[in-house]
Amino acid sequence: MTSRRGLMFWIFWLSGCLVLSFISLPLLALLLRPTLGQLRDAAMHAGIRDSFLLSLEGAALATSLSMLFGLPLAYVLARQSFRGKAVVEAMVDLPLTIPHTIAGIALLLVFSRNGWLGPAAASIGLTFWGTFAGVVLAMAYVGLPYAVNAARVGFEAVDPRIEKAARSLGAGPWATFYRVSMPLAWRGVMTGLTLCFARAIGEFAAVVLLAYYPMTAPVKIYDLFLQAGLNESVAASVLFLVIVLGLFWALRLLAYGRHSDRRVEPAAAR
């Protein structure tokens, strides 16, 4: 039995190595393609720098809005059972299931100049077509499910008896949420923040359909590919990839500390 189990793990590791190679080889080819001169020229290009900053600002704002409005929904889904809950959970997941080109067209139908909400928003000075607000809106739309789902898992992992104990000691519902529930669900919340930010900063289809201008980094890289060819777009891609991976690593470090291996306790030990 031991030898069979060992063989099984060797087969699983072989499968894992194939998966890791599939993920890493295209990125390795991308990183090794541009020369230092091409990277320097891309870094000095004002349009590329502006698109990077726009992506960072837009993703940060979209993530903040997603967490602000998504956390209450995540807590409700984690703590309450109600008729239609499965429908609500499915609606949260909708942006994950539909192609993002369709998401962009759907957003246009609602938030463009002649959309359902476009004229009303324009009347208060808020326009989404071809503006930074449209960029943030498209980013938030595709990133929101990650924020809600990860935070909900984090809240579900918090023992409700701890919250009840805090309430019995005189803490109100808001104090219990911010002083007990949120700290205990911190990893789930931070995982949602990280995934939401990563999805938002890399979004292309929904952003290009709703806003296009001002150009985010993915849109600018695509424009470079069309206008100047592969080499120009590769150099910009490498610079943006390094920035995104650095931010992703920093957010994961903030969420999990230096040790990211989370062990699952046996059911009997819980």
Side-chain angles (χ1 to χ4, degrees):
M1 290 295 294
T2 303
S3 61
R4 290 182 180 179
R5 189 182 182 196
L7 177 62
M8 180 189 73
F9 277 106
W10 275 110
I11 294 174
F12 283 8
W13 268 113
L14 177 60
S15 176
C17 289
L18 291 175
V19 170
L20 295 176
S21 298
F22 179 69
I23 294 172
S24 60
L25 282 178
L27 296 178
L28 183 62
L30 177 67
L31 291 171
L32 295 179
R33 177 63 182 264
T35 64
L36 291 177
Q38 290 171 336
L39 291 175
R40 183 178 61 253
D41 292 341
M44 297 297 293
H45 193 290
I48 294 176
R49 291 201 310 270
D50 291 343
S51 70
F52 286 7
L53 290 174
L54 182 71
S55 288
L56 292 171
E57 294 171 0
L61 185 54
T63 301
S64 299
L65 293 173
S66 296
M67 299 304 292
L68 177 64
F69 292 100
L71 279 180
L73 177 58
Y75 189 74
V76 168
L77 293 176
R79 284 291 178 261
Q80 292 188 347
S81 297
F82 52 89
R83 183 176 298 179
K85 181 178 179 180
V87 176
V88 174
E89 292 175 339
M91 290 179 64
V92 170
D93 290 337
L94 274 178
L96 301 176
T97 60
I98 61 177
H100 289 182
T101 49
I102 295 178
I105 292 173
L107 289 171
L108 270 175
L109 292 176
V110 177
F111 296 101
S112 65
R113 293 171 182 170
N114 299 319
W116 288 2
L117 300 180
S123 66
I124 60 173
L126 188 60
T127 57
F128 297 99
W129 187 80
T131 66
F132 178 68
V135 171
V136 173
L137 183 70
M139 288 180 170
Y141 188 83
V142 299
L144 185 60
Y146 297 95
V148 174
N149 289 331
R152 184 194 47 155
V153 172
F155 287 128
E156 287 175 344
V158 178
D159 192 338
R161 292 174 296 181
I162 300 176
E163 295 175 328
K164 291 179 181 178
R167 295 291 302 275
S168 67
L169 293 174
W174 289 103
T176 300
F177 178 76
Y178 284 109
R179 297 181 181 178
V180 178
S181 305
M182 276 290 291
L184 292 176
W186 176 249
R187 283 191 172 183
V189 173
M190 283 301 302
T191 297
L193 185 151
T194 302
L195 295 176
C196 180
F197 183 84
R199 176 63 271 177
I201 199 171
E203 178 55 26
F204 171 78
V207 169
V208 78
L209 284 169
L210 182 61
Y212 198 90
Y213 289 105
M215 286 187 180
T216 62
V219 177
K220 182 64 178 179
I221 290 169
Y222 179 69
D223 184 69
L224 284 172
F225 176 76
L226 294 179
Q227 301 296 328
L230 186 62
N231 289 334
E232 293 283 346
S233 60
V234 165
S237 298
V238 169
L239 291 178
F240 190 59
L241 178 64
V242 171
I243 293 173
V244 171
L245 290 180
L247 289 171
F248 183 73
W249 176 84
L251 288 172
R252 284 185 60 86
L253 187 63
L254 182 62
Y256 301 114
R258 294 184 179 275
H259 304 288
S260 61
D261 55 321
R262 281 86 67 195
R263 292 185 176 85
V264 179
E265 297 179 358
R270 296 189 190 128

